[in-house]
Amino acid sequence: MQNNLKYINLSWAVVGICEGSHLPLSALVHEGDDMEKTVEHYVIGYLAFWHIAFVDESRLVACNDEALHEAARQKIDRYIADHQPVETLPRFYLVLLRQQIAPMEADGMSRVYQV
């Protein structure tokens, strides 16, 4: 199965977005809005709605380590390879970078969350 995966680097996480042809990511972003900010608000809202984590935006730790961003993208790729989706639906994969809101592994990243 081919994934149309697009990565969005947030200052505190990497989000992999598998777009469906019937609902592209661009359809979720209003004209003039910033893609990263829209995705960030969606992810924070999702985490809070499902009681996964309370995210206080003022306490998020910025991570500008490009090597860590690349490692997170590779971690998402490995996760998708091992957990192929049954249906092609829009889905988000999230890896937190050096954040206290979730358990961190030794590499400074969280596990992959499918949102």
Side-chain angles (χ1 to χ4, degrees), residues 32-104:
D33 286 351
D34 181 50
M35 176 85 64
E36 287 77 13
K37 266 299 185 209
T38 300
V39 169
E40 183 173 45
H41 287 297
Y42 173 82
V43 169
I44 289 172
Y46 183 91
L47 293 172
F49 179 81
W50 290 107
H51 304 288
I52 295 169
F54 174 74
V55 179
D56 180 358
E57 292 183 61
S58 67
R59 292 188 171 184
L60 292 173
V61 178
C63 177
N64 299 317
D65 183 349
E66 186 53 42
L68 194 57
H69 281 94
E70 179 60 31
R73 289 189 289 271
Q74 291 172 3
K75 191 172 195 173
I76 292 170
D77 288 341
R78 286 190 304 274
Y79 179 86
I80 292 171
D82 292 342
H83 303 88
Q84 287 289 318
V86 177
E87 298 179 37
T88 305
L89 298 171
R91 62 188 79 239
F92 286 50
Y93 299 93
L94 173 69
V95 174
L96 302 170
L97 306 174
R98 298 184 180 146
Q99 300 302 313
Q100 298 302 314
I101 60 174
M104 293 290 111

